[in-house]
Amino acid sequence: MEEFIKKNLIKLNTFHPNFEKALNEMLLAGGKRFRPKLLISVVKAYNPLLIDNAKYAAFAIELIHTYSLIHDDLPAMDDATLRRGHPTLHTTYDEATAILVGDGLNTYAFEVLSKAPIHNDIKIELIKILSENAGVSGMVLGQAIDLYFENKKLNLDELKELHINKTAKLIAASLKMGAIIVNKIDLAEKLYDFGIKLGLLFQIQDDLLDLEDETKIGKTTGVDENKNTFVTILGKEESIKKANKLANELKEELKNFDANLQNELSWLDKYLNRHKEN
């Protein structure tokens, strides 16, 4: 996947001195590639011959995720200075450049997906899933709720709605898109539901990590103090208990998938337990 990303970076024919570099900077800064890995794992479980084709869809998801991080770090949002162990784009360049880079990566994601060597009917379905879960019915809505309700306490159901949209839906979409690529229609919805629960666990873990030293996790910490997080609503100990409960449920649900998929998703165990490492 890393090689695929490097081969498909954005190339511009322009006299602008640094916009091409800025567009690719956060992609090259690394990251866990968690969402692409979910998609590729599902494809590998059922049709390894489609992995190279599926990398276009996996890269599209990574582009969307990276744009969301760039915008999330903006002064108007979290005003963060560190991401993926690197200075955030608005600190390296300026706020306008960071906004435009996010816009560019967002649209480039669908350009990449449109060029995937996949049947057009499947591509349209992939575009639909990605746009629904990343856009106004998903991640963008979650971010809007998150920002609007700063300094206003939500109840637990509202908090879940916030984070299902902001974090979980893109993770769930990654699994579902993998199933669509290999024509496992019935499995797609089961994986989506599994992904929503996985995304909630991921968010609780991130909320707990926000209590850590930023040099340890490679991004600005302490930005969530006035926000609705599992830690600010439930407290640290209850958040850990909730994370443990979700992790155990996900481990049991994994056992309900067939052996091939269990095997390809076995790497998830590390992520299910990452809140226990701190």
Side-chain angles (χ1 to χ4, degrees), residues 89-104:
L89 287 189
H90 68 272
T91 58
T92 300
Y93 302 97
D94 52 51
E95 188 174 1
T97 299
I99 292 169
L100 290 169
V101 167
D103 292 344

Side-chain angles (χ1 to χ4, degrees), residues 99-111:
I99 292 169
L100 290 169
V101 167
D103 292 344
L105 297 185
N106 185 8
T107 49
Y108 187 59
F110 293 98
E111 181 182 335

Side-chain angles (χ1 to χ4, degrees), residues 183-252:
N183 200 31
K184 291 283 185 180
I185 308 303
D186 293 341
L187 180 64
E189 289 306 322
K190 291 177 185 174
L191 279 171
Y192 186 84
D193 292 342
F194 177 85
I196 292 293
K197 191 175 284 190
L198 177 62
L200 280 174
L201 171 61
F202 212 77
Q203 185 60 54
I204 297 170
Q205 292 170 333
D206 274 357
D207 290 350
L208 288 164
L209 286 170
D210 192 61
L211 305 173
E212 299 293 324
D213 178 4
E214 63 185 39
T215 57
K216 179 180 175 183
I217 63 173
K219 65 178 182 178
T220 304
T221 58
V223 296
D224 291 339
E225 290 176 5
N226 299 318
K227 292 197 170 192
N228 285 283
T229 73
F230 285 94
V231 173
T232 59
I233 299 295
L234 297 177
K236 182 178 178 180
E237 293 308 314
E238 283 302 312
S239 295
I240 291 170
K241 286 180 186 176
K242 191 162 185 66
N244 287 337
K245 183 174 182 291
L246 276 173
N248 290 332
E249 288 175 8
L250 286 162
K251 286 174 188 175
E252 289 304 309

Side-chain angles (χ1 to χ4, degrees), residues 24-275:
N24 295 310
E25 200 158 308
M26 275 302 151
L27 288 168
L28 291 171
K32 295 181 284 292
R33 313 299 193 207
F34 181 72
R35 293 151 190 81
K37 197 169 181 179
L38 288 171
L39 185 150
I40 295 296
S41 294
V42 177
V43 173
K44 191 177 178 185
Y46 298 106
N47 193 340
L49 293 175
L50 287 178
I51 287 175
D52 285 343
N53 307 50
K55 285 178 183 175
Y56 288 80
F59 185 32
I61 293 169
E62 184 64 17
L63 284 160
I64 293 285
H65 176 57
T66 303
Y67 118 71
S68 76
L69 299 180
I70 292 166
H71 278 192
D72 197 40
D73 290 336
L74 287 168
M77 298 201 191
D78 283 353
D79 197 14
T81 58
L82 190 69
R83 175 66 70 174
R84 291 177 168 172
H86 292 258
T88 48
L89 287 189
H90 68 272
T91 58
T92 300
Y93 302 97
D94 52 51
E95 188 174 1
T97 299
I99 292 169
L100 290 169
V101 167
D103 292 344
L105 297 185
N106 185 8
T107 49
Y108 187 59
F110 293 98
E111 181 182 335
V112 167
L113 192 48
S114 74
K115 293 175 180 176
I118 296 171
H119 194 281
N120 283 342
D121 288 349
I122 293 175
K123 265 197 288 199
I124 290 168
E125 184 63 20
L126 296 177
I127 289 168
K128 178 173 175 282
I129 294 166
L130 184 54
S131 57
E132 283 179 350
N133 287 279
V136 293
S137 299
M139 185 179 71
V140 173
L141 172 62
Q143 182 74 322
I145 295 170
D146 190 28
L147 292 170
Y148 184 82
F149 287 96
E150 277 188 22
N151 300 306
K152 301 172 187 176
K153 196 167 185 179
L154 298 177
N155 64 41
L156 191 56
D157 286 339
E158 291 168 335
L159 181 72
K160 283 180 68 177
E161 181 185 332
L162 188 172
H163 290 301
I164 282 172
N165 283 288
K166 187 180 175 185
T167 301
K169 283 188 176 179
L170 194 60
I171 288 172
S174 305
L175 289 160
K176 185 175 182 178
M177 288 167 71
I180 295 297
I181 291 168
V182 293
N183 200 31
K184 291 283 185 180
I185 308 303
D186 293 341
L187 180 64
E189 289 306 322
K190 291 177 185 174
L191 279 171
Y192 186 84
D193 292 342
F194 177 85
I196 292 293
K197 191 175 284 190
L198 177 62
L200 280 174
L201 171 61
F202 212 77
Q203 185 60 54
I204 297 170
Q205 292 170 333
D206 274 357
D207 290 350
L208 288 164
L209 286 170
D210 192 61
L211 305 173
E212 299 293 324
D213 178 4
E214 63 185 39
T215 57
K216 179 180 175 183
I217 63 173
K219 65 178 182 178
T220 304
T221 58
V223 296
D224 291 339
E225 290 176 5
N226 299 318
K227 292 197 170 192
N228 285 283
T229 73
F230 285 94
V231 173
T232 59
I233 299 295
L234 297 177
K236 182 178 178 180
E237 293 308 314
E238 283 302 312
S239 295
I240 291 170
K241 286 180 186 176
K242 191 162 185 66
N244 287 337
K245 183 174 182 291
L246 276 173
N248 290 332
E249 288 175 8
L250 286 162
K251 286 174 188 175
E252 289 304 309
E253 287 182 25
L254 270 170
K255 295 175 184 176
N256 295 326
F257 295 129
D258 63 56
N260 281 352
L261 187 55
Q262 283 186 53
N263 183 55
E264 294 303 331
L265 289 174
S266 60
W267 59 271
L268 267 180
D269 193 60
K270 169 189 170 185
Y271 286 95
L272 298 182
N273 295 306
R274 70 186 179 125
H275 61 284

